[in-house]
Amino acid sequence: MGLLSQASKPIWACRVVQYFFGKHYPFPYQLPYEFVYDKGILHVRCVPMKYSVLNFIPPLISFVGVAMCAAGIYILHIQSDNILENVGFWIWVSLIIVHALSIYGYLLLILDPNQICFKLWEYLVFCERHARHELQIQCGREACKLLKSTSLSIVSSVTCLTAVSGYICIPIFMLFFMLTTEVDPTFYVLEHIFFKLIGLTNRYFVRFLLFLICFTFNILATYHKAQMVLFGFSALLYVLQCGYKLLKIATLLAARHPVINEIYVLIMWFK
């Protein structure tokens, strides 16, 4: 029961994501930023890489994913009369969008010399912490119970569950996906290159090697996509919680002061 109550907090969702997709990430590289929980406060800090070139491994993986999906769409366009009716087309377009957004978000963070996003995070957390402290002074500790959001708690619990299950089940899911469907862009493109362009004849052995190569890359790419999406989503979830608490605290404190309360009521009336 205690674990479930913790999982309903956005700060716990960030810590779960950091634990599985940061500290215990199954591949030797890591993102150049991380969640750090220190004395009840969640920080986002840059992680110095041993070699600067390691900073570009995540966008490189995404770029290869975009290239494979784009090549798959091109080949599918040549071979298919109506590409819009093919499920693979829509899956690959969706993957291109996900990869492109991950590249944009990643480069936005690491190429910012002023680290504005990190500073805004710290400022928001600082404001939320002091506003909550002021609420406890004026209204007591019981008032903090009014700051809970059911919607954010549900989304946070789902995020924790997704992070844990995804970390464990991605290899199994990818194996099942590749064996039961034919919409893997990497295998589709490489199969077209080796069998139709080069014209190899030893199909079984080559297909087995291609399957191993594609399976390895797909696991790497899927973990990478999950890492980027979960980091971004959990961070957004925590920011929304801080914003919600600040608005709620402002409302509660305004209700305790007659003049401020009258101004607040007047503003709400005009709205």
Side-chain angles (χ1 to χ4, degrees), residues 15-240:
R15 296 182 66 186
V16 168
V17 171
Q18 174 61 37
Y19 181 82
F20 286 102
F21 289 90
K23 184 178 180 180
H24 295 282
Y25 193 64
F27 296 99
Y29 79 92
Q30 60 179 343
L31 295 177
Y33 47 85
E34 64 180 0
F35 293 122
V36 178
Y37 184 75
D38 183 26
K39 298 179 180 179
I41 304 174
L42 188 69
H43 304 277
V44 178
R45 295 177 181 173
C46 291
V47 180
M49 298 288 104
K50 186 176 181 180
Y51 303 103
S52 58
V53 70
L54 295 178
N55 288 325
F56 296 96
I57 290 181
L60 178 62
I61 296 173
S62 296
F63 179 78
V64 173
V66 170
M68 286 297 176
C69 291
I73 291 175
Y74 176 74
I75 296 172
L76 189 63
H77 171 69
I78 296 175
Q79 297 178 347
S80 177
D81 295 331
N82 192 350
I83 191 174
L84 297 179
E85 294 181 356
N86 194 296
V87 178
F89 169 77
W90 297 107
I91 293 177
W92 297 341
V93 169
S94 302
L95 290 177
I96 288 176
I97 295 174
V98 173
H99 281 301
L101 289 177
S102 67
I103 293 174
Y104 174 77
Y106 181 85
L107 294 179
L108 184 67
L109 289 176
I110 68 169
L111 296 181
D112 181 13
N114 298 320
Q115 297 184 348
I116 295 177
C117 294
F118 297 102
K119 292 179 180 178
L120 287 175
W121 175 283
E122 294 296 330
Y123 182 73
L124 180 63
V125 172
F126 175 83
C127 291
E128 186 271 336
R129 181 190 178 194
H130 283 270
R132 183 158 37 88
H133 180 67
E134 184 66 24
L135 179 67
Q136 291 179 1
I137 293 175
Q138 297 197 24
C139 304
R141 291 183 176 273
E142 294 297 323
C144 292
K145 295 181 180 180
L146 301 174
L147 303 179
K148 294 182 179 180
S149 170
T150 304
S151 301
L152 289 176
S153 298
I154 294 174
V155 176
S156 177
S157 300
V158 173
T159 303
C160 290
L161 179 62
T162 302
V164 176
S165 59
Y167 183 84
I168 298 172
C169 299
I170 281 177
I172 301 173
F173 168 78
M174 187 52 59
L175 181 62
F176 176 80
F177 175 79
M178 292 184 65
L179 291 176
T180 57
T181 66
E182 297 181 356
V183 293
D184 173 29
T186 309
F187 188 81
Y188 185 79
V189 171
L190 293 181
E191 185 182 38
H192 179 81
I193 293 174
F194 280 95
F195 294 139
K196 295 188 178 181
L197 296 183
I198 300 179
L200 295 180
T201 56
N202 192 353
R203 288 181 172 270
Y204 294 105
F205 179 71
V206 176
R207 284 178 67 89
F208 177 72
L209 288 180
L210 290 180
F211 181 85
L212 291 180
I213 294 172
C214 294
F215 179 67
T216 304
F217 174 77
N218 285 335
I219 289 180
L220 174 64
T222 305
Y223 268 109
H224 170 65
K225 287 193 289 284
Q227 183 187 49
M228 297 292 291
V229 171
L230 287 171
F231 262 93
F233 186 78
S234 59
L236 176 62
L237 194 62
Y238 187 72
V239 168
L240 290 176

Side-chain angles (χ1 to χ4, degrees), residues 5-19:
S5 63
Q6 292 292 331
S8 63
K9 300 177 181 179
I11 190 173
W12 188 258
C14 294
R15 296 182 66 186
V16 168
V17 171
Q18 174 61 37
Y19 181 82

